[in-house]
Amino acid sequence: MVPKLRVARPTDQLPELLRFYRDGLGLVELASFTAHNGFDGVMLGHPQAPYHLEFTHQPGHHVGWAPTADHLLVFYLPHLPDWQACVQRMEVAGFKPVPAYNPYWDQLGTTFEDPDGYRVVLQHAAWEL
């Protein structure tokens, strides 16, 4: 059995994160909820992928900024046209690349910072493990 992975993270900026991950990164909105046990949220990913991201907001609760600039989600895009299209989609959505905290990621990738300060690397390489 291969488990599915959900990465769940709270935010103060749910609409802005939706724009970053859905409109910029191109993830699909898989589900959303409002006022579920006091939380609003959205789940994003690809319907066939074994992972998805969940972002939640609890009204009246302050989450704050990412702890460091090295908190990353890395997406491996080995096919050059796919990688170029993803980088371009982020830029067209209004998100500009930022220098990676670890310069390794700048060698074959492009890093973007989400509205909460967490970073996404679009890595033009294959996953080799």
Side-chain angles (χ1 to χ4, degrees), residues 19-20 23-25 87-96:
R19 197 170 75 73
F20 182 89
D23 304 342
L25 195 55
V87 169
Q88 182 179 20
R89 186 174 47 245
M90 289 293 285
E91 292 176 339
V92 167
F95 301 103
K96 301 297 177 210

Side-chain angles (χ1 to χ4, degrees), residues 7-96:
V7 177
R9 196 182 88 208
T11 182
D12 297 321
Q13 305 182 75
L14 196 54
E16 293 86 352
L17 282 185
L18 188 58
R19 197 170 75 73
F20 182 89
Y21 288 95
R22 183 193 60 202
D23 304 342
L25 195 55
L27 299 180
V28 175
E29 187 172 335
L30 301 171
S32 65
F33 51 91
T34 303
H36 178 69
N37 294 327
F39 290 84
D40 302 332
V42 63
M43 286 169 255
L44 303 162
H46 293 286
Q48 310 309 316
Y51 69 88
H52 64 269
L53 307 178
E54 177 184 30
F55 298 103
T56 60
H57 174 68
Q58 182 182 20
H61 180 75
H62 178 70
V63 175
W65 193 253
T68 74
D70 206 28
H71 280 74
L72 307 173
L73 292 175
V74 180
F75 291 90
Y76 288 84
L77 301 157
H79 189 60
L80 182 61
D82 293 341
W83 178 78
Q84 290 171 325
C86 197
V87 169
Q88 182 179 20
R89 186 174 47 245
M90 289 293 285
E91 292 176 339
V92 167
F95 301 103
K96 301 297 177 210

